[in-house]
Amino acid sequence: MTAVTLSSTSTSPTTRQVWTRTRGLLLALVILVVAGIAMAALRSGDQHGRLDPRSADRYGSRAVAELLKGRGVSTRVVTTLDEATSAVGPDTTLLVAAPDLLTDHQQQTLHTATASSGGRTVLLSAGPVSIDALAPGVRTETPAPVSARTPQCALPAARSAGNADLGGERYTTETSHADSCYPSGGLPTLLRIDDANDGDTVLLGSPDIFYNHRLGEHGNASLALQLLGSRTHLVWYLPSLSDSSAAEDSTDGGGNSSFLDLIPSGWLWGTLQLALAAVLAAVWRARRLGPLVTEQLPVAIRASEATEGRARLYRKVNARDRAASALRSATRTRLAPLLGVPPIDAHSPEALLPAVSAHLRASDRDFKTLLFGPAPADDTALIRLADQLDALEREVRTS
């Protein structure tokens, strides 16, 4: 039987093939998840109770609270804005551990309460998010690394403490009643501003001098005690996400905030980086180094072997219709030039059938069913069709 070129087919990958292809990716994903869990577990202990005067962890502040207690200063921890504002007064120091976590409404309310209290307000690492509301007239500059720095100012507390571990946010102000201490690059990392009613505001670029593990270094303890012990009461404000006052922004003009406004900037930048990585991976996988070129096959495969292999695939999926269509199409393609039919009309019954009938006038066979008929009902009919097509082509060639 004449070899017939059949259309390409594909079979579904087996479970073993799918596992082989994806096991590398799954292994990398498992390693990434395990590494993330391990890093979170290792760091969770260090971050627990951060700047909490009740915590004895490395980053807690229990040591400074105990020292203040020994000097007669009471320490009260609050987590809501109402508690913080109701506790301020001329004999109170209010320490705000994370000013940037406060909403606009909370910042304005806190500043209104402290500006006329006559007490001291200590803001730790106040950045661009909160500095305008909590310390008007002060601007922040590029943060500096934390290191032991010299006071270089006339503030008695700083001169008495000497070197201290400061850095982080750097501040600038045009206020005349201000002490600029512990500069980095000419800009202070500790700024004290006199307020009305004999109060003052102290801005610290970093909170390191209050950490348990750093309190005993340099003059950190001395500076911390003098900054927080100038009044008999210390209110330690740890802003909480569960504070109901944070929801008041939505009723005071913040109701039109979009979903993106509620997402922290870190998540947005992380999503952008992941999207960029995905695009680069797609470009890498889809790259083209030049035009496609033909290559010699490493092994010569006989047409009969290729045909037999395709035939077995068709038989495995019972694709008799495709096999019959391929056999008839190949036969019509070879018959057309023998009968004087243009190649473009080789698969047109109106052009090919009259030419076959005119060439084989004595034949009474049904050429239409043979060349354009339905699919065989079983394998026996398919074999019979192949034999009949072979005989027809041979007859046309020899007549």
Side-chain angles (χ1 to χ4, degrees):
M1 182 172 63
T2 304
V4 180
T5 302
L6 304 180
S7 59
S8 61
T9 61
S10 62
T11 59
S12 299
T14 63
T15 303
R16 183 181 181 84
Q17 290 174 329
V18 172
W19 166 248
T20 302
R21 295 174 184 175
T22 60
R23 61 186 178 184
L25 180 60
L26 291 176
L27 179 60
L29 181 61
V30 170
I31 293 176
L32 182 62
V33 172
V34 172
I37 294 176
M39 292 177 63
L42 291 175
R43 297 183 61 185
S44 62
D46 290 341
Q47 300 301 321
H48 174 70
R50 189 182 186 91
L51 284 176
D52 192 329
R54 299 162 298 186
S55 173
D57 295 338
R58 286 171 52 85
Y59 293 96
S61 300
R62 183 175 178 179
V64 68
E66 291 296 325
L67 292 177
L68 288 170
K69 181 180 179 180
R71 299 181 62 173
V73 178
S74 64
T75 301
R76 176 188 174 192
V77 179
V78 299
T79 58
T80 65
L81 179 65
D82 291 339
E83 292 176 318
T85 55
S86 62
V88 297
D91 60 345
T92 301
T93 298
L94 174 64
L95 182 146
V96 185
D100 288 356
L101 292 182
L102 301 176
T103 64
D104 294 342
H105 167 74
Q106 290 176 313
Q107 293 171 12
Q108 293 293 342
T109 302
L110 183 64
H111 176 66
T112 301
T114 57
S116 57
S117 68
R120 167 170 288 183
T121 304
V122 179
L123 304 176
L124 302 185
S125 302
V129 176
S130 60
I131 196 68
D132 291 337
L134 297 178
V138 179
R139 297 186 305 274
T140 60
E141 300 294 338
T142 306
V146 176
S147 63
R149 304 184 186 279
T150 57
Q152 299 184 29
C153 67
L155 181 66
R159 294 177 62 87
S160 175
N163 294 353
D165 290 321
L166 284 171
E169 299 289 345
R170 300 184 300 164
Y171 304 102
T172 59
T173 183
E174 297 179 357
T175 304
S176 57
H177 304 290
D179 293 302
S180 302
C181 304
Y182 299 97
S184 172
L187 299 178
T189 57
L190 186 156
L191 184 67
R192 190 191 73 88
I193 303 174
D194 287 329
D195 298 333
N197 302 318
D198 296 328
D200 62 0
T201 299
V202 178
L203 294 97
L204 284 172
S206 63
D208 291 62
I209 63 172
F210 300 119
Y211 290 151
N212 290 329
H213 74 289
R214 305 194 75 161
L215 190 64
E217 299 177 2
H218 308 293
N220 295 347
S222 175
L223 182 61
L225 293 177
Q226 292 183 79
L227 292 179
L228 302 183
S230 61
R231 270 75 173 174
T232 56
H233 302 290
L234 170 62
V235 177
W236 201 294
Y237 181 24
L238 299 172
S240 171
L241 296 177
S242 61
D243 188 354
S244 60
S245 64
E248 295 185 20
D249 272 359
S250 61
T251 60
D252 294 341
N256 296 326
S257 299
S258 65
F259 175 74
L260 294 179
D261 295 333
L262 303 178
I263 301 177
S265 59
W267 286 99
L268 294 178
W269 281 110
T271 303
L272 178 61
Q273 293 176 11
L274 289 176
L276 179 60
V279 171
L280 294 177
V283 172
W284 168 60
R285 295 297 296 175
R287 71 187 187 280
R288 288 289 181 265
L289 300 181
L292 297 177
V293 297
T294 57
E295 296 183 3
Q296 294 292 336
L297 293 176
V299 179
I301 302 177
R302 295 181 180 180
S304 60
E305 294 179 0
T307 303
E308 184 177 356
R310 294 289 180 84
R312 288 176 178 172
L313 290 176
Y314 281 141
R315 183 178 182 183
K316 184 177 181 180
V317 296
N318 293 324
R320 286 185 292 272
D321 54 342
R322 292 180 177 271
S325 177
L327 291 171
R328 284 169 169 153
S329 177
T331 300
R332 294 194 299 265
T333 300
R334 291 191 295 269
L335 287 178
L338 298 177
L339 300 173
V341 177
I344 193 174
D345 296 326
H347 305 289
S348 173
E350 293 78 8
L352 186 63
L353 293 178
V356 174
S357 300
H359 196 80
L360 304 175
R361 293 175 181 170
S363 176
D364 57 352
R365 286 169 290 178
D366 186 1
F367 296 123
K368 182 176 182 180
T369 301
L370 180 59
L371 293 172
F372 298 95
D378 50 34
D379 291 345
T380 302
L382 178 62
I383 295 174
R384 184 166 58 252
L385 173 63
D387 292 339
Q388 292 174 352
L389 292 174
D390 233 4
L392 174 62
E393 184 178 350
R394 191 165 47 248
E395 186 177 355
V396 171
R397 289 181 181 276
T398 57
S399 61

